[in-house]
Amino acid sequence: MVPAWLWLLCVSVPQVTLETQDRRVLWGPQPVLVRVKDENDQVPQFSQAIYRAQLSRGTRPGIPFLFLEASDQDEPGTANSDLRFRILSQAPAQPSPDMFQLEPRQGALALSPKGSTSLDHALEKTYQLLVQVKDMGDQASGHQAIATVEVSIIENTWVPLELIHLAENLKVLYPHHIAQVHWSGDDVHYRLESQPLGPFDVDAEGNLYVTRELDTEAQAEYVLQVWAQNSRGEDYAAPLELHVLVMDENDNVPVCPPRGPAVSIPELSPPGTEVTRLSAEDADAPGSPNSHIVYQLLSPESEDEVEGRAFQVDPTSGSVTLGALPLQAGQNILLLVLAMDLAGAEGGFSSTCEVEVEVTDINDHAPEFTTSQIGPISLPEDVEPGTLVAMLTATDADLEPAFRLMDFAIEREDTEGTFDLDWEPDSGHVGLRLCKNLSYEAAPSHKVVVVVRSVAELVGPGPGPGATATVTVLVERVMPPPKLDQERYEASVPISAPAGSLLLTIQSSDPISRSLRFSLVNDSEGWLCIEKVSGEVHTAQSLQGAEPGDTYTVLVEAQDTDEPRLSTSAPLVIHFLKAPPAPALTPAPVPSRYLCTPRQDHGVIVSGPSKDSDLASGHGPYSFALGPNPTVQRDWRLQTLNGSHAYLTLALHWVEPREHIIPVVVSHNAQMWQLLVRVIVCRCNVEGQCMRKVGRMKGMPTKLSAVGILVGTLLAIGIFLILIFTHRTLSRKKDLDQPADSVPLKATV
C-alpha cells in the first residue's frame, strides 16, 4: 500500500515515477524516481506450531533428521527478512542438556556429538524442544516466533543382512524381491550400489530387487551396499552390505577350438607322434562337474577311406597322436572328436571337434619370400659401403632342416656391383648390403631382384624358376658442408692494437646460398672475437702478453644455421707486429657535448679523422674502440655506426656530473689514432636541458683567500722585523771590536 505522504508528492509533481518492488506508476510528463524504504514491520512465522519427528538410535551426529521452515513478509534480501534459528530449551535435560543442535540459517535439526554418545544408553523415549526463529540476522534486536518440536526416540532397525543365494537363469517375474532394509527414523531415502555393477535396485520402502536374470559365467558374486539418507543426501549411518552368490547350472555347451589349417605330418612318422592337442572350453563354473570335459574319437574320414586305428586320443588331455597304422604321403584326413561335459555322464552336453591332418611329402616345397616387394628404402648418398640396406626372409614348408637350406642370389640390378648379399646357410634371412658409394646424380634410384632356391634337389614336377623379391632403393641427396673462401687465414696486428680492432672478415665461397654462423675455437687467451653473422674478426681485448714476432692460431668454424650438423673450419694465424710509434696528435678542440644523468635515450656522435686532418692518412673505413682504461670501459659504450662515425652513450644509469675526457681509439689498416672526446655530464630538467652550477663572481674574496692574505701579511711583517733586528745587532758588535788607538781624541780648548 502506498503511504499518504507519497501520494501527496505524486500530486504536487507534474510527472512522478513511483517505484516499489515490482510495480512502477507514472504520472505527468516528467519522471520522478521515488524509493520506498522497507521497515521491519513483519513478524516471522513458523510453518507449523508443533513439529513431530522420529529419531533412530545409532544416527550419526550432525546429520539433519528434521528441517524447520519459517517465513518473513519483509523485503527479501534485507536484514528485516534474514532469519536465524536456535534451541531455547530441551526437556528432559537428561542424560545431557545439549542432546540436539540446530543449524541457525537453514533450520536443520540434528543430533549433537554429546547426544550421539548418550542416546544409545538413554532411557527417555521422547524429547520436547522449544525453538525460536528471529529476523534481523545476528543482531540483538528483531521480531521472533516460538515453536515446539517433539522428538520420539525409536530403536535402531538398521542391522546387517544374511547371505543371499540366487540361481542363475531364474525364470520369475522381474523385478524380483530378494531382501528388505529398514531405517526406523523419519525423512529417509535409500540408495544402493553394487560391486561390480549389477541388475539390482531399491525402492522407497527399502525393498531390494533383482531386475533381470543372472549368469554365473558373467559374474558369480555381487556385493550390495545400501545407504539410509536424509533429503539432503547425508548418511544417517554406515551402509549395510549384502552378499549375493549366483548358483551355477549346467547351461553351457562345450566349445571346440576353431578349425584351423591342416596339421602337416611327415610320412613314416612313428606311432605316438602328437598330431594336435584339443582344448575345448566350457563357460560353466571352473572346477565343477558342469565344466569337466572328456574326449572320445568318433571316426577318421578321408578321401582314401583309411581303415584301422591310424589315430588315438587321450580322453583327459585331448592329445591326438598317431596310431600303429602307418600313413601314406599325400593323405588328407578329417578327424572327428567328441567333447563331453559332466565327465561324459548322461544328461550332459557335447560338441564335435574337427581336426584336419595333412601328410606331407619329402622336400616337395620350394622356398618363398615372405613378401615380394620391399621398399622403397631411402638412403643418403653419403652412406658408407657395407651398410645393411634390407633384411629379406624366405620360408620353406618342408619339415626336415636339410630340406629347408636355401641359396640366395642377385638375379638383376640396375647398376652391377652396387649391392651384395650375405646370409647363414641354415637361416632363412638374407641381408642386402651396399658395396659401392651412391650418387644421386648418377642414379637417383635402384631396383634389386633377389632370387631364392632350395639347396637340395626338389622332389616333384621340377625346381621351377625360384621365388624372387624386388627391393627398391631411393637415393637421397646430401647437402655438402659449407665452404670458406680460404683454407687458411692469416692476419697481422701490432701488439698495441686496442680492443675492437678489425683484423679481417671471414667469407663463404659456397655456390649454394645458405646462412652461416661463425665462431672461434681454441681462443685460449681470449684475445679475439668474431661477429656471428658478418664474420668480422676483432680484437676482444688488449693484446697483453703478446710479443712481436709471435704467432697465435685459432680455429674459425662456420655452421649452417638451417642444418647445424653441416659445418666447416679453417685455421686463423695471427702474426704480432712491433707497435708503431704513436703519433702525438690530438684532434682539434671539439665543442663540449652534453649528456644527462640519470641516463636518457641520446648520445654523442664521434667522427673519424677528416680528409684534411693530419691524423688522416687515407680513406676509411675506420674502426672505433674505447681506450683501455677500465673505468672508461665500465662507464661508457661506443657503437660503430658506419666506416666514419660511431655513437657514444652512457653505459651506467648514473655517472658523476662533471666534465669527462673519453679516449677513443681510431684505427685504419695498421695505423691508429687516439681522439679525446670532451663530454660534460650534468643533471637535466624534464625537457632534457642541462642544469649547471653558477660560479662565484670575480673580485669577491672567499674565506680561503682572506685567510691566505692575512697569513701572507703577517709573514711579511715578521720577515721585515727580523731583518731590522739582525742589522742593529751586527752594528753594535762592530763598534765594540775597534782598537783603543783608533778612538779619535777630543779637542781641547
Side-chain angles (χ1 to χ4, degrees):
M1 182 175 182
V2 181
W5 63 269
L6 186 57
W7 284 110
L8 292 176
L9 178 62
C10 296
V11 172
S12 61
V13 180
Q15 177 176 350
V16 175
T17 299
L18 181 59
E19 183 177 4
T20 59
Q21 291 182 354
D22 297 317
R23 294 180 298 174
R24 176 171 295 176
V25 184
L26 300 177
W27 288 277
Q30 300 296 328
V32 176
L33 179 64
V34 178
R35 296 188 180 275
V36 181
K37 181 180 179 182
D38 180 65
E39 293 184 356
N40 189 18
D41 55 351
Q42 300 293 326
V43 178
Q45 295 181 354
F46 278 101
S47 61
Q48 56 192 76
I50 299 177
Y51 293 85
R52 292 180 175 85
Q54 291 183 336
L55 178 62
S56 174
R57 299 182 189 270
T59 302
R60 290 180 175 177
I63 304 301
F65 61 91
L66 179 64
F67 292 88
L68 304 181
E69 296 182 358
S71 60
D72 193 305
Q73 298 301 319
D74 287 313
E75 182 177 356
T78 64
N80 299 335
S81 61
D82 188 7
L83 302 182
R84 295 291 187 274
F85 299 86
R86 72 187 184 99
I87 299 175
L88 298 178
S89 64
Q90 168 192 313
Q94 288 79 23
S96 171
D98 300 321
M99 294 287 291
F100 303 92
Q101 63 185 28
L102 183 60
E103 204 280 327
R105 294 180 180 270
Q106 302 295 329
L109 183 63
L111 196 62
S112 68
K114 286 185 178 180
S116 176
T117 57
S118 304
L119 186 62
D120 291 339
H121 308 289
L123 301 177
E124 287 75 13
K125 299 294 184 179
T126 303
Y127 288 89
Q128 189 176 73
L129 305 178
L130 191 63
V131 295
Q132 170 190 287
V133 62
K134 184 185 74 66
D135 60 13
M136 298 301 291
D138 296 325
Q139 300 182 24
S141 61
H143 299 295
Q144 60 186 13
I146 305 297
T148 302
V149 179
E150 295 181 357
V151 181
S152 299
I153 307 301
I154 59 179
E155 294 302 319
N156 184 11
T157 59
W158 195 247
V159 294
L161 300 176
E162 296 181 354
L163 178 68
I164 296 179
H165 294 81
L166 290 178
E168 69 172 348
N169 305 319
L170 186 61
K171 305 301 181 182
V172 295
L173 183 64
Y174 291 94
H176 177 62
H177 183 272
I178 58 175
Q180 184 179 12
V181 296
H182 178 67
W183 176 258
S184 53
D186 292 333
D187 186 26
V188 60
H189 303 272
Y190 299 98
R191 181 171 65 89
L192 180 143
E193 289 183 5
S194 68
Q195 294 293 335
L197 185 63
F200 301 94
D201 198 4
V202 62
D203 63 9
E205 302 299 325
N207 293 305
L208 304 181
Y209 298 91
V210 58
T211 59
R212 58 177 171 81
E213 294 182 6
L214 300 178
D215 187 359
T216 188
E217 289 74 36
Q219 183 65 36
E221 183 179 1
Y222 295 88
V223 178
L224 308 183
Q225 287 187 319
V226 185
W227 285 265
Q229 300 176 333
N230 61 15
S231 58
R232 295 199 307 190
E234 298 169 314
D235 300 336
Y236 283 121
L240 297 182
E241 280 194 1
L242 174 63
H243 291 260
V244 178
L245 294 180
V246 184
M247 306 304 295
D248 181 59
E249 293 183 354
N250 188 21
D251 57 345
N252 289 282
V253 178
V255 178
C256 293
R259 177 177 172 179
V263 179
S264 298
I265 298 296
E267 61 178 346
L268 303 179
S269 295
T273 301
E274 186 177 74
V275 178
T276 187
R277 183 179 293 268
L278 295 175
S279 180
E281 295 181 355
D282 194 311
D284 289 316
S288 68
N290 299 332
S291 60
H292 186 190
I293 299 176
V294 295
Y295 302 91
Q296 177 183 348
L297 183 64
L298 294 179
S299 64
E301 297 178 5
S302 67
E303 298 176 356
D304 300 331
E305 296 293 332
V306 175
E307 299 292 338
R309 293 184 55 84
F311 300 90
Q312 55 188 11
V313 61
D314 185 272
T316 302
S317 65
S319 175
V320 179
T321 57
L322 294 179
L325 184 65
L327 300 176
Q328 301 297 323
Q331 287 182 314
N332 292 306
I333 304 170
L334 181 63
L335 298 179
L336 301 179
V337 180
L338 189 65
M340 302 172 290
D341 63 9
L342 291 179
E346 185 176 356
F349 295 104
S350 64
S351 297
T352 302
C353 305
E354 297 181 352
V355 179
E356 185 178 1
V357 179
E358 179 185 11
V359 181
T360 59
D361 222 349
I362 297 176
N363 197 27
D364 57 344
H365 295 89
E368 295 181 352
F369 287 106
T370 57
T371 178
S372 60
Q373 297 290 334
I374 300 177
I377 300 172
S378 298
L379 292 178
E381 62 180 351
D382 60 349
V383 66
E384 296 182 0
T387 301
L388 179 65
V389 178
M391 182 67 69
L392 291 80
T393 302
T395 60
D396 194 315
D398 294 320
L399 299 180
E400 291 293 331
F403 301 143
R404 294 200 304 266
L405 296 179
M406 307 173 196
D407 187 24
F408 300 90
I410 295 178
E411 187 176 75
R412 184 175 66 257
E413 63 177 318
D414 296 338
T415 305
E416 187 175 357
T418 305
F419 301 91
D420 197 4
L421 301 174
D422 59 10
W423 72 94
E424 296 294 332
D426 57 348
S427 172
H429 305 287
V430 58
L432 179 66
R433 294 189 180 274
L434 182 67
C435 295
K436 295 181 179 179
N437 291 322
L438 298 175
S439 173
Y440 178 85
E441 289 74 17
S445 64
H446 298 266
K447 283 189 179 296
V448 182
V449 179
V450 182
V451 62
V452 58
R453 295 184 177 89
S454 179
V455 174
E457 182 179 359
L458 291 175
V459 177
T468 60
T470 302
V471 181
T472 304
V473 178
L474 300 181
V475 181
E476 294 179 350
R477 169 176 281 179
V478 176
M479 291 288 291
K483 186 177 181 181
L484 300 178
D485 59 343
Q486 298 182 31
E487 295 182 357
R488 175 187 174 92
Y489 293 90
E490 295 190 12
S492 300
V493 59
I495 61 175
S496 60
S501 301
L502 177 65
L503 302 183
L504 76 163
T505 300
I506 307 299
Q507 296 181 348
S508 171
S509 63
D510 202 323
I512 302 175
S513 177
R514 66 174 76 189
S515 176
L516 300 180
R517 182 185 292 109
F518 298 93
S519 61
L520 295 178
V521 183
N522 296 333
D523 185 12
S524 58
E525 299 294 336
W527 284 336
L528 307 176
C529 63
I530 187 170
E531 292 291 334
K532 294 182 179 180
V533 178
S534 65
E536 293 182 354
V537 180
H538 299 262
T539 55
Q541 60 179 350
S542 60
L543 305 177
Q544 186 176 0
E547 297 294 335
D550 290 347
T551 60
Y552 183 66
T553 303
V554 297
L555 194 66
V556 178
E557 185 174 86
Q559 188 179 49
D560 193 326
T561 56
D562 296 328
E563 293 287 339
R565 63 183 181 85
L566 301 179
S567 63
T568 188
S569 60
L572 169 59
V573 181
I574 304 299
H575 300 273
F576 296 117
L577 305 177
K578 183 178 180 181
L585 298 176
T586 58
V590 180
S592 300
R593 292 98 183 274
Y594 294 88
L595 290 179
C596 294
T597 184
R599 182 179 61 198
Q600 297 185 3
D601 296 331
H602 59 271
V604 173
I605 301 296
V606 179
S607 303
S610 63
K611 297 180 180 179
D612 300 330
S613 173
D614 294 333
L615 300 176
S617 61
H619 299 287
Y622 298 98
S623 297
F624 298 86
L626 292 172
N629 190 325
T631 303
V632 172
Q633 295 186 359
R634 180 197 66 188
D635 296 347
W636 300 87
R637 288 290 180 268
L638 187 65
Q639 179 182 0
T640 301
L641 297 178
N642 49 42
S644 59
H645 294 81
Y647 192 58
L648 181 66
T649 58
L650 291 175
L652 302 179
H653 181 71
W654 171 266
V655 175
E656 180 184 0
R658 62 178 177 84
E659 183 182 80
H660 295 260
I661 304 298
I662 297 93
V664 177
V665 178
V666 184
S667 60
H668 174 66
N669 293 333
Q671 295 181 331
M672 290 177 291
W673 305 271
Q674 181 173 342
L675 301 179
L676 300 179
V677 181
R678 181 169 175 262
V679 179
I680 296 177
V681 178
C682 58
R683 294 176 180 269
C684 297
N685 56 19
V686 294
E687 289 82 13
Q689 299 175 349
C690 182
M691 298 186 296
R692 303 185 62 191
K693 293 184 178 179
V694 179
R696 184 175 297 275
M697 297 178 60
K698 296 181 179 180
M700 297 297 292
T702 62
K703 293 181 180 180
L704 185 61
S705 62
V707 173
I709 293 173
L710 179 60
V711 173
T713 303
L714 294 176
L715 183 62
I717 294 173
I719 294 173
F720 182 71
L721 293 176
I722 292 172
L723 292 176
I724 294 176
F725 179 77
T726 303
H727 179 71
R728 289 178 59 85
T729 302
L730 293 176
S731 298
R732 290 182 62 184
K733 184 178 181 182
K734 184 177 180 182
D735 293 339
L736 294 175
D737 293 340
Q738 290 183 356
D741 56 359
S742 64
V743 177
L745 297 175
K746 295 182 179 180
T748 59
V749 180

